[in-house]
Structures are given as structure tokens and as C-alpha cells.
Amino acid sequence: MMNPLLCLMILFLCFSLCKSQLHPIPAKIDGFVYKKPIVWGESVVVEAFLDPVCSDSRDSWLPLKQAFDYYSGQLSLVVHPVPMPYHSNSFTACRSLHIANKLNSSSFYPLLELFFKTQGKYYSAPTYGLSRAIIVADMTKLALTVVGESFSTAFQSGFNDSSTDRAARISFKYGCSRGVAGTPSFFVNGMPLSNSTVDYNTWKSIVDPLLSKNKN
Ligand SMILES: *[C@@H]1O[C@H](CO)[C@@H](O)[C@H](O)[C@H]1NC(C)=O
Ligand SMILES: *[C@@H]1O[C@H](CO)[C@@H](O)[C@H](O)[C@H]1NC(C)=O
Ligand SMILES: *[C@@H]1O[C@H](CO)[C@@H](O)[C@H](O)[C@H]1NC(C)=O
């Protein structure tokens, strides 16, 4: 049994800590809008929390894209790149995505897809003996193929730019604030999906009824 006085003190401490802003509020809301802008109130909004070096995130991407294409404009898609701590190189990959976006905003999705295609070499086991400098250099080389080779120096210094570190942390914190503890995680019109294995037909079975209700 805990001393009631101790309980009170802990409670007091929690309250005084909670009064201050725990995390900085970012100037822009996190997330990358896929292709078309969100049509607020008219399209169904899907938020996807994806880890670029997670195989389940990779496998979920194609059916989601197919659903997006099928609904052309009635479905809006926002991706949040979130690193899972058990994927050793994930934060670096997520930071690469933020650097890519900063230098060439059209390159975010091409780079995400490139990570999905080549993620195997960044898994924890095959990179066990590699230094972070080697991983950073390798990801830079990979990223430049879609960001544009002319950004070579800028991309390298992007890894020393604290704003890209901050942006990657904010994506992570945004995921935490929504209770994301694994990837992929999906939210539809703000509500979490309990099933993260969503194939094309499941997307249709989720989105179709929402659109028909929205019309009435
Ligand atoms: C920006 O990225 C896009 C997509 O990869 C690419 O087509 C375009 O050439 C890049 N822009 C520059 C200036 O390299
Ligand atoms: C980035 O920082 C690392 C270590 O802090 C340093 O070794 C490297 O030279 C820096 N790179 C650039 C391009 O500034
Ligand atoms: C999740 O959805 C997939 C199909 O998209 C289905 O095969 C699986 O059984 C579902 N899992 C749960 C727990 O509902």
C-alpha cells in the first residue's frame, strides 16, 4: 500500500508538469499529402503512419494507392513517416524523407517508394556491423537518385541541419500523440482502424459506406 501523502505529492508533481507545454507545437501540421489536396468535409481522409524500413508498411502501400486511384478525389491520403525503435535505421530513413522534402518537395513519395523497394538492405541484421556514417552515406546516395543529383552537397548537410532532425522527431511525436505503437497504422476520418492488414477490397468495404452516407 502506498502512503496517501506520497500519492498526493505525486499527483501534485504531475499537475505542475502538465501545466507546461510538453512538446513544442510545430509551425506546420505533420504529414505529406499524396497527390491531390484534401477536400475537407467531402473526401474521406485516410492518414497512414508508415515506417520506411518496415515490411508490413511496404506491403500495405500498394493496396492503399490502388484505393486512392479508384476513388479519384473522394479519398484524401496523408502519410506520416514514423520510425519504430526496433528498426535500427528507421529514424535515419525518416530524416532522409524530411531532407528530401525540404530540398525537392516532389521527391518525398518517390523516395518513400524507393525505401519500400530497397528496405531489405537497411534491416537491423544486415547492417549490424555498419556505422551510422556508412548508413547515412548510403541513404544519401539512394535519395539523390530521386531528389536530383544536383542536391548532393545540400543533402549531405541536411543531416547536420537541426531542422530536419526536429521535423523527423515531430513526425514521431505526432504518431505518439495519436497512440501509434506499430506500423502500418491507419486512421479514417480521424478514427483508428483496428486492423492494420488492409487489402484493396477491405479499403473498399471501409470507404464505400462512408461515401454513400456522406452523400445523403
Ligand atoms: C525533384 O524530384 C522529382 C521526383 O523525383 C524529379 O522528377 C525532379 O527532377 C526533381 N527536381 C530536380 C530539380 O532535380
Ligand atoms: C556533419 O557533422 C559530422 C559530425 O558532427 C561531421 O563529421 C561532418 O563533416 C558534417 N558534414 C557536413 C556536410 O557538414
Ligand atoms: C484484417 O483484414 C484482412 C484483409 O484485409 C483479413 O484477412 C484479416 O482477417 C483481418 N484481421 C482481423 C483481425 O480482422
Side-chain angles (χ1 to χ4, degrees):
M1 262 303 273
M2 220 193 231
N3 183 328
L5 195 66
L6 193 66
C7 286
L8 267 177
M9 274 172 67
I10 292 173
L11 216 62
F12 176 75
L13 203 70
C14 285
F15 271 116
S16 17
L17 283 176
C18 292
K19 267 201 316 209
S20 63
Q21 178 61 40
L22 206 51
H23 299 295
I25 300 175
K28 273 193 246 171
I29 191 161
D30 185 72
F32 297 90
V33 177
Y34 184 64
K35 286 188 182 167
K36 298 179 187 124
I38 296 177
V39 190
W40 200 261
E42 283 181 34
S43 58
V44 168
V45 179
V46 173
E47 284 173 277
F49 291 81
L50 306 174
D51 180 331
V53 294
C54 152
S55 56
D56 292 334
S57 295
R58 173 198 64 200
D59 296 343
S60 74
W61 179 237
L62 186 64
L64 180 53
K65 265 201 329 185
Q66 285 170 336
F68 177 90
D69 289 339
Y70 172 79
Y71 288 108
S72 70
Q74 292 186 288
L75 190 148
S76 302
L77 174 58
V78 183
V79 166
H80 303 274
V82 288
M84 289 298 110
Y86 34 82
H87 296 143
S88 313
N89 299 307
S90 187
F91 188 80
T92 311
C94 288
R95 191 171 179 186
S96 302
L97 287 164
H98 282 283
I99 297 170
N101 173 65
K102 191 173 176 182
L103 297 175
N104 173 356
S105 59
S106 327
S107 67
F108 176 86
Y109 279 100
L111 182 55
L112 180 66
E113 293 190 328
L114 198 52
F115 271 125
F116 284 155
K117 213 178 338 172
T118 59
Q119 59 175 214
K121 66 174 176 163
Y122 298 119
Y123 289 166
S124 303
T127 57
Y128 185 74
L130 300 181
S131 70
R132 197 150 59 87
I134 289 176
I135 300 291
V136 164
D138 201 80
M139 285 188 183
T140 301
K141 209 169 114 203
L142 179 81
L144 288 176
T145 63
V146 288
V147 178
E149 298 292 340
S150 61
F151 294 110
S152 176
T153 316
F155 203 94
Q156 285 168 52
S157 29
F159 275 103
N160 290 20
D161 173 356
S162 60
S163 77
T164 67
D165 178 62
R166 218 162 29 241
R169 289 183 194 206
I170 283 166
S171 292
F172 168 73
K173 285 168 191 281
Y174 186 75
C176 293
S177 77
R178 305 290 298 276
V180 170
T183 53
S185 287
F186 302 106
F187 289 70
V188 179
N189 285 345
M191 295 300 157
L193 286 191
S194 43
N195 192 350
S196 66
T197 319
V198 192
D199 59 18
Y200 175 68
N201 287 327
T202 310
W203 277 120
K204 284 195 66 190
S205 70
I206 294 168
V207 176
D208 277 343
L210 299 176
L211 286 175
S212 60
K213 270 189 215 153
N214 204 351
K215 282 205 187 78
N216 299 333

